[in-house]
Amino acid sequence: MKSARLACKASPEQATSIVTVADRLAIGGPDIVIMAGPCAIESQQQMDSVAQQLAPSAIGMLRGGAYKPRTSPYSFQGLGLKGLDILVNVGMTYDLPVVTEVMAVEQIPQVCDRADMLQIGSRNMQNFDLLKAVGQVDKPVLLKRGLAATVEEFVMAAEYILSHGNSNVVLCERGIRSFDSYTRNVLDLGAVVALKQLVHLPVIVDPSHASGRRELVADLSRAAIACGADGLMIECHPTPDLSVSDAAQALSLDAAVMLAEGVSPIAAAVGRRVPPSRCRTSTENSDVEVRPSVASRG
Ligand code: PEP
Ligand code: MN
């Protein structure tokens, strides 16, 4: 991987670069960053329920797709700009930075103006024009591994973004295609370990798309943190079975909050920390209590 000169570590000892989101969330530092939310933004009410329950927990970022890449052109394609506005307003209300997918170069200005982090989805990992374009924005980028991309192709995709001027790139392992249809994809934890050795960029894991089965998500999350992941991306929904997309992998909101607590001992075992829940009434956390207020966002 000699040609990935910006993504690769100069020496094995080089520390992970910190990617800062919304001026206050550090990905790649000692704290594990957990992003959670529905597959797709469906309504204001749905997003309010999600944020209200997640904001007081250890979950630090809100996700949700406004532009959805769907296998079938007849499936729900996302609410577009309307969905983006719902996500961003709810994020501001509950003081949660937001990440959302950008599928096309022409969507970049509107997503960049509103969201705190831009997601490049698996299907676009080698959309080189899109990679070059997000290389020129001043927002951090979450780059998801292609459905069948090698580790080298994944790193080279990140190199496109870095070489066009954006140094704030986070990689996301989200499972790769294999022969076994029991799980939606195969979570490649070997790639997570390899990436942590090879590149200085933070690496997070999405066990929801990797497994496609909600009952596997919490255990895979713990495994991901145990092998060095810097964070997690989790799909959850107020009524999981009624999710318009990816229902089988959606956790309930309670389960998502429990998952965040459940990874904490594993994080501690590998010298990391899941930040404390923001709703605790104990004095040490009272300074970070969440109040739903637009003004609370810097
Ligand atoms: C998503 O995170 O919304 C998504 C579509 O995931 P992926 O690109 O990994 O399939
Ligand atoms: Mn999804």
Side-chain angles (χ1 to χ4, degrees), residues 17-18 43 45 53 55 57 59 91-92 142 176 209 238 251 258 271 292:
S17 299
I18 306 264
S43 68
Q45 192 191 15
Q53 200 155 339
S57 78
I59 291 164
M92 289 209 286
L142 179 66
I176 47 172
H209 290 92
L251 296 184
M258 274 170 57

Side-chain angles (χ1 to χ4, degrees), residues 11 32 44 73 78 82 103 105 119 138 155 173 186 208 213 215 227 260 289:
S11 75
I32 299 297
Q44 177 76 47
K82 184 173 165 237
M103 280 174 61
V105 172
Q119 177 172 320
D138 64 356
V155 173
E173 158 58 31
V186 172
S208 303
R213 289 175 167 260
E215 70 274 18
C227 73
E289 186 183 358

Side-chain angles (χ1 to χ4, degrees), residues 229-298:
D230 297 294
L232 297 167
M233 173 171 261
I234 305 293
E235 283 191 349
C236 57
H237 194 283
T239 47
D241 288 331
L242 300 181
S243 300
V244 297
S245 54
D246 290 352
Q249 70 196 38
L251 296 184
S252 67
L253 303 179
D254 281 342
V257 170
M258 274 170 57
L259 178 151
E261 287 166 14
V263 295
S264 189
I266 308 296
V270 293
R272 311 292 287 275
R273 186 182 84 130
V274 174
S277 299
R278 293 190 286 175
C279 66
R280 294 207 183 120
T281 46
S282 70
T283 43
E284 75 262 33
N285 291 324
S286 57
D287 57 326
V288 285
E289 186 183 358
V290 168
R291 268 172 236 96
S293 143
V294 178
S296 65
R297 197 170 195 232

Side-chain angles (χ1 to χ4, degrees), residues 108-179:
I108 292 176
Q110 55 183 237
V111 178
C112 207
D113 275 354
R114 295 168 173 84
D116 300 294
M117 186 176 211
L118 276 50
Q119 177 172 320
I120 300 292
S122 202
R123 289 151 194 82
N124 274 316
M125 189 207 80
Q126 284 189 317
N127 180 338
F128 298 113
D129 285 342
L130 191 57
L131 298 176
K132 289 177 196 171
V134 297
Q136 290 162 54
V137 305
D138 64 356
K139 288 279 168 79
V141 175
L142 179 66
L143 177 65
K144 298 191 85 173
R145 182 179 183 182
L147 308 165
T150 64
V151 167
E152 176 146 17
E153 287 163 346
F154 190 17
V155 173
M156 292 313 289
E159 192 75 14
Y160 261 91
I161 305 173
L162 299 170
S163 65
H164 283 77
N166 190 341
S167 56
N168 295 309
V169 179
V170 175
L171 302 179
C172 180
E173 158 58 31
R174 47 77 74 205
I176 47 172
R177 282 274 166 88
S178 185
F179 57 86

Side-chain angles (χ1 to χ4, degrees), residues 1-78:
M1 220 162 297
K2 287 202 185 76
S3 46
R5 50 192 143 164
L6 299 171
C8 284
K9 291 183 178 184
S11 75
E13 295 76 39
Q14 187 178 339
T16 303
S17 299
I18 306 264
V19 171
T20 304
V21 179
D23 294 327
R24 64 189 188 283
L25 207 58
I27 308 180
D31 283 2
I32 299 297
V33 174
I34 305 177
M35 313 172 184
C39 181
I41 299 151
E42 298 167 15
S43 68
Q44 177 76 47
Q45 192 191 15
Q46 172 221 27
M47 292 308 295
D48 274 328
S49 310
V50 172
Q52 190 176 26
Q53 200 155 339
L54 301 190
S57 78
I59 291 164
M61 276 182 79
L62 187 62
R63 65 145 284 146
Y67 299 100
K68 292 303 301 175
R70 303 303 301 279
T71 301
S72 166
Y74 308 117
S75 300
F76 176 62
Q77 303 284 309

